[in-house]
Structures are given as structure tokens and as C-alpha cells.
Amino acid sequence: MESWERGRGQSPVRSPRRMSFNPVSEWVPPKQDDVKPSVEEAAGDNLEVCIAVIYCLLAAGVVFGYAAIKPVLVEEGVYRDQCTKEELEDNVSTCYGQEIRLNLMFTIAAVATNVCALPVGTILDHFGPRISGIIGSILIAAGAVIFALAGDLPFDGYIPGYLLLALGGPFVFISSFQLSNCFPAHSGFILALLTGAFDTSSALFLVFRLLFQATNGSLGTKQLFLIYLVVPAFILIVQVTVMPAKSYKTVGEIVNEAGGDLDAPSPDTDSGLGDDERERIREEMWQRRESVINEVTSLLATPSNSKNAKREEEKNERSGVWGVLHGYSALEQIKTPWWWLITLFTLVQMTRINYFVATIRPQYEYLLRSDTTARRVNEIFDIALPLGGVLSIPFIGSILDNTSTPFTLLVLVSVATVIGVLGCLPYFPAAVANICLFVVYRPFYYTAVSDYAAKVFGFQTFGKVYGLIICTAGIFNLVQSLLDAVTHKVFDRDPLPINILLLCVALVVGGALVTFVTVKSRRSKREMLEEEAEEATETLMPTMNGDRGRSYGTSTS
């Protein structure tokens, strides 16, 4: 009881009437330890957000900096034992076996990052963000140690080490999302910061490569990854000492937990009290809930937030698909073309994205017929990839907030087609243009898919439905190894056949998705206009005795 009263006393909005939260002396409401004031502890909340951004920047998606760390691994001779005698005699920069093995390492890590989203969410729901963060720090530390010592181990430690680094990222990244509830009016900005940190974290391996080159190899992967152990140690320390043990609640969750179930029997049902007394207690419980609702609502009821709510409603209407499957079960939603088409599109696009990240250098070595020029393209990509995640945030927000979902999907498919065409041209300017579009498109694509899932399927089933989309696409990404093998063995390292195949498949699937969503959106708008027209023509008709009745369009006798 004392903790509840303290929580109310710390609230920035004080009610002029102190209502008792104890309708009968024998009943005490449950503790609300996880309901944290947002003004008195604003400094602490800001610190938590800043810390989360820092460790996401250093650990959330580092494995996607594979293109930057790959030249270091090649120079250190990792998987050189996979080369044939003829390839070693020819002194090729990377042989077939080495290329396939290195790319397989990245493919497994990319698949694991997507697939583990489902178990991470389950652990987060049951044990909270602190336990999730601690698990992530342990996985990252184990991965760094194994990767650093891989050359000295009696087994292949590079793949499991890289895999553990990939698994640790989602644990620290996804568990940070709940921090957006610290400041509801700025939740979008906080999520944008965390997402930007995830995309920018790929720059860590670029730093590793620059240090390797600056020291002429003195700081190799062994030394660099042992130094990197500072990061998981930092994550572990802040999780135990600073970060919250339980997820921050949304306003709706606070109200529901504080109010309880009003239809449930009052706490003294079996106490022998009469009906009038029980009704009085029930009424006081209702007033208590209303008091909580009013106080929490007053925290957000500013002119700015009212405008935000109106703007959010207009954005939902503008999307053309908002709520189309809200209220349906996850199984019912998965059976519809809304889910199958976006899943097929995600399968193709995620494969294209990760395949390009893994093979950018060998692709341009073949297309540009120059190892030096291909190295320049790779270096430009290493710098542009993390920058794209940050620079694209305003662009992504503008598209998603101010246009319809069919238009957003049309932009996705159109830009993907342009990227596919540029990726087939054997010119350096085309390669640079391809990279510039790709690094902006990648975060735009992932954000647009999650935005589509939220608008179409709703948040009630979002975790299951969206998680299944990403998980399915992640498993399908194992096909990258097959694409690598076909490129090397069947097409003699020529990337054009595979690129053209992926481009055509993406265009067909994307075109079907855009067509379906556009038709459904227009039909939905037409039905909505017809309903509004019908409501506008309804008028109250006078009754036979001259009174205004409630009959619509007819008279009553």
C-alpha cells in the first residue's frame, strides 16, 4: 500500500481530491512496483535510453558488417585450407571453397538473427528485459572468445563464434524496445534511435578492418575480438545495476493493472455483507479505477499529444489498409493472401539483401574486371551501409506517415527493381549508385514490412504473425549457399544469371502484392464511402402522435 501511495505522490499531476484506494480495511490492492513515474525519474529514464543506444550501437547487428571484416579474414588465411592445390599455385585471392565457407558463416548468422526473434520475444515476456540483456551479453562474450581463439582450436570455431555473436544481438536489441514507453509522446523517436543504432552497428567491423590495416596486421582478429569483450562486460554491468528488471508499461497496461477486472467479485464477497454494502464497495472500486484513468490520461492530455492523436488517426485512414484484419486470430490472418504475399515478398527481398552483402566484392570483381576497382566498391559499401541506416530515418518516416500503404509497397518494388538493374551493369558509377540506393532501401524495406504487419494484422497478433514472416524468411535464406555454389560452379563466377533471376522473381511477387493491396484498399474506401452516405441520408421521422421517435426512415403507429 505504501508503494502505491508513493507512486501516486510522485505523480506530476496531483488530484485535488485524495481518494482512498482502500475501500475496506481488510482488502489491500496489489503492489504496482512496475508502474514508474515518468517525470521525477526522467533523468534515470534518459540514462537508460542513452545506455541502450550505446550498447545497441556496439552489439546489436555487428554481424551485418561482414563485408568489412571479410577482407581481414581472407588476408589472415581463414579457410585457406579449403583451396585446391591448383588454386594455391595460381595464388588466387579467394578460392571457391574459401569463398563458400566464409559466406556460409555469414548466412548462418543472418538466418539465426531472424529466426531467434520468436524465442527472444518469449523469454522477454516471461523473464523481463534484464534477464534477456544478461543472456545476450553472455552469448556475445562467448562468441567473441570463440571467434578470437578460432585459429587455435581443434575444430572450426569461426562459424559457431560468429553464430553466437549473431544470437546475442537480438537479445540486447529487442529487449530495449520497451524503453520507448518511458516517454509515450516520443516513443517513435526512441525506436528510431534504437533502430538507427542497430543499422550503424555494422560499422564496428569497419573499425576493426581499419585498425588491422593501420597496424599492418599486428591487431588481428584475435586481439580485436579479445578487446571487444569490454562490450559484453559493459552490457552485463549496466543490466544488473542500471537497466530495468521489468518492462515499462504502456498507459493502457497501467490502467488495466491498476483497475483490475470490474466484473470480478469484490474482495469481500464471502464476508457476509449485504447486497447494498457490496454494491457500495464495487462503486468505490469503480471510482478508484476512474481516478487512475483520469490521472494517467492527464499525463498525456497535452495539446501536443492531442494533435499527435489526431494526426495518428489521419495517418491510419490514409494508409487504406488499417484494421483490415484486426480482431481475427493469428491462424485466420495467416491463411489470407495478405500474409502469404508479404511473406513471399519478404523471402525474396531478404535473400537478395543478404546475398548482396555477402558477395558484393566477388560480384564486382567479375563485373568490373578489376580487383582494385572492386576493392574500392567494397570500401564505399563498408562506409555507406551504417550511414544509410541513420540518414534514411527522416525519409522512411516521411513515406510511411504521409502516404498510403499501396504507394509504399509500390515504392518498395520500384526501388528494388532499379537496384536489381544497376546491379547488372558493369560500370563503376552504376556500382556506386547501386550502393547508395541499397543502403537506404535496406532499412526502409524492413521498416515498411513491420509497418504493413501492424496496420493490416494489428498489435494483438503482431508478435506471432510478423515473427513468423521474419522467421520463415530467415530459414529460406539458407538458399544463399546454393546460390553461391551455382554462381561459382555453373556460371563460372558470373553473378548476372542469379541477379536477373532474383530480380524477375521479386518483380513478379512484388507486382502481385501491390496489385492485391491496391484493389483491396480501393474497395475498402468505396465501401466506407457508401456506409457514410447511407448514414448521412438517415433522418429521424416524426411518430403518429407528433413526437420525434427513434425510427429511421419509417413512421411508427
Side-chain angles (χ1 to χ4, degrees), residues 130-182:
R130 176 172 293 171
I131 297 300
S132 297
I134 291 174
I135 293 174
S137 67
I138 293 173
L139 290 172
I140 293 170
V145 170
I146 294 175
F147 201 87
L149 303 178
D152 303 323
L153 296 175
F155 58 89
D156 179 9
Y158 291 104
I159 290 179
Y162 211 73
L163 172 62
L164 290 173
L165 288 172
L167 292 175
F171 274 97
V172 299
F173 177 56
I174 296 176
S175 64
S176 301
F177 286 172
Q178 50 85 27
L179 293 175
S180 64
N181 293 328
C182 293

Side-chain angles (χ1 to χ4, degrees), residues 163-329:
L163 172 62
L164 290 173
L165 288 172
L167 292 175
F171 274 97
V172 299
F173 177 56
I174 296 176
S175 64
S176 301
F177 286 172
Q178 50 85 27
L179 293 175
S180 64
N181 293 328
C182 293
F183 308 99
H186 305 288
S187 60
F189 176 69
I190 294 173
L191 289 175
L193 283 177
L194 294 171
T195 304
F198 175 86
D199 289 325
T200 310
S201 64
S202 61
L204 179 72
F205 285 170
L206 172 61
V207 175
F208 280 15
R209 195 193 73 196
L210 295 176
L211 290 173
F212 176 83
Q213 294 173 341
T215 59
N216 293 321
S218 297
L219 277 179
T221 53
K222 181 176 183 178
Q223 293 78 16
L224 290 170
F225 278 91
L226 289 177
I227 295 173
Y228 180 69
L229 288 173
V230 173
V231 173
F234 167 73
I235 296 174
L236 178 63
I237 291 172
V238 297
Q239 290 294 342
V240 174
T241 60
V242 179
M243 305 304 286
K246 297 182 178 180
S247 297
Y248 283 96
K249 305 295 183 182
T250 63
V251 174
E253 290 170 333
I254 294 173
V255 170
N256 288 334
E257 292 186 7
D261 188 355
L262 295 178
D263 295 327
S266 56
D268 61 339
T269 302
D270 300 327
S271 62
L273 297 176
D275 293 340
D276 292 341
E277 183 65 15
R278 286 200 300 270
E279 184 62 29
R280 182 187 65 80
I281 294 174
R282 190 183 298 276
E283 178 64 22
E284 290 186 3
M285 292 174 63
W286 172 263
Q287 291 177 354
R288 175 175 68 85
R289 184 176 187 274
E290 288 298 297
S291 176
V292 175
I293 292 174
N294 291 335
E295 184 163 342
V296 174
T297 302
S298 67
L299 295 176
L300 303 176
T302 64
S304 174
N305 290 337
S306 298
K307 292 180 180 179
N308 289 339
K310 184 177 180 180
R311 190 181 302 116
E312 186 71 16
E313 183 178 354
E314 293 175 350
K315 181 183 72 174
N316 293 339
E317 293 179 357
R318 190 184 304 118
S319 73
V321 300
W322 173 264
V324 66
L325 292 179
H326 290 195
Y328 290 85
S329 69

Side-chain angles (χ1 to χ4, degrees), residues 466-521:
Y466 177 71
L468 187 58
I469 293 173
I470 299 301
C471 183
T472 304
I475 295 174
F476 183 78
N477 264 234
L478 289 172
V479 77
Q480 287 183 56
S481 297
L482 175 62
L483 297 180
D484 262 346
V486 171
T487 300
H488 282 79
K489 290 296 186 180
V490 178
F491 301 116
D492 194 23
R493 300 173 67 94
D494 183 359
L496 287 179
I498 296 298
N499 286 344
I500 293 174
L501 172 65
L502 292 175
L503 170 61
C504 293
V505 174
L507 188 58
V508 171
V509 175
L513 174 64
V514 172
T515 301
F516 173 81
V517 175
T518 301
V519 171
K520 290 292 185 179
S521 175

Side-chain angles (χ1 to χ4, degrees), residues 286-540:
W286 172 263
Q287 291 177 354
R288 175 175 68 85
R289 184 176 187 274
E290 288 298 297
S291 176
V292 175
I293 292 174
N294 291 335
E295 184 163 342
V296 174
T297 302
S298 67
L299 295 176
L300 303 176
T302 64
S304 174
N305 290 337
S306 298
K307 292 180 180 179
N308 289 339
K310 184 177 180 180
R311 190 181 302 116
E312 186 71 16
E313 183 178 354
E314 293 175 350
K315 181 183 72 174
N316 293 339
E317 293 179 357
R318 190 184 304 118
S319 73
V321 300
W322 173 264
V324 66
L325 292 179
H326 290 195
Y328 290 85
S329 69
L331 182 59
E332 291 173 326
Q333 292 173 342
I334 291 170
K335 292 179 179 179
T336 66
W338 293 95
W339 187 86
W340 281 103
L341 286 173
I342 193 65
T343 300
L344 289 174
F345 185 66
T346 304
L347 293 179
V348 178
Q349 288 304 107
M350 190 179 290
T351 301
R352 291 182 67 192
I353 289 172
N354 290 332
Y355 180 69
F356 183 75
V357 171
T359 62
I360 179 173
R361 185 160 176 174
Q363 282 198 40
Y364 280 108
E365 283 178 352
Y366 185 93
L367 290 174
L368 302 179
R369 306 292 181 179
S370 169
D371 292 347
T372 303
T373 308
R375 186 182 301 111
R376 287 178 58 196
V377 172
N378 200 150
E379 291 171 351
I380 293 172
F381 179 76
D382 294 340
I383 298 173
L385 184 62
L387 285 179
V390 177
L391 298 179
S392 63
I393 291 175
F395 157 75
I396 294 173
S398 178
I399 291 289
L400 297 181
D401 291 343
N402 299 296
T403 64
S404 67
T405 299
F407 179 80
T408 300
L409 294 175
L410 178 62
V411 173
L412 275 181
V413 175
S414 300
V415 176
T417 303
V418 174
I419 290 174
V421 172
L422 289 174
C424 296
L425 301 179
Y427 307 108
F428 180 75
V432 174
N434 187 23
I435 289 172
C436 292
L437 274 179
F438 178 88
V439 298
V440 175
Y441 178 84
R442 179 172 171 263
F444 174 46
Y445 158 74
Y446 283 114
T447 309
V449 171
S450 62
D451 180 74
Y452 171 97
K455 289 175 178 175
V456 172
F457 305 117
F459 286 104
Q460 186 177 2
T461 58
F462 180 84
K464 295 177 182 177
V465 175
Y466 177 71
L468 187 58
I469 293 173
I470 299 301
C471 183
T472 304
I475 295 174
F476 183 78
N477 264 234
L478 289 172
V479 77
Q480 287 183 56
S481 297
L482 175 62
L483 297 180
D484 262 346
V486 171
T487 300
H488 282 79
K489 290 296 186 180
V490 178
F491 301 116
D492 194 23
R493 300 173 67 94
D494 183 359
L496 287 179
I498 296 298
N499 286 344
I500 293 174
L501 172 65
L502 292 175
L503 170 61
C504 293
V505 174
L507 188 58
V508 171
V509 175
L513 174 64
V514 172
T515 301
F516 173 81
V517 175
T518 301
V519 171
K520 290 292 185 179
S521 175
R522 290 177 178 176
R523 183 179 302 173
S524 176
K525 288 182 179 180
R526 184 171 60 252
E527 292 175 352
M528 186 181 301
L529 289 174
E530 291 175 354
E531 291 178 1
E532 291 177 354
E534 290 177 1
E535 292 176 359
T537 58
E538 290 178 346
T539 57
L540 289 172

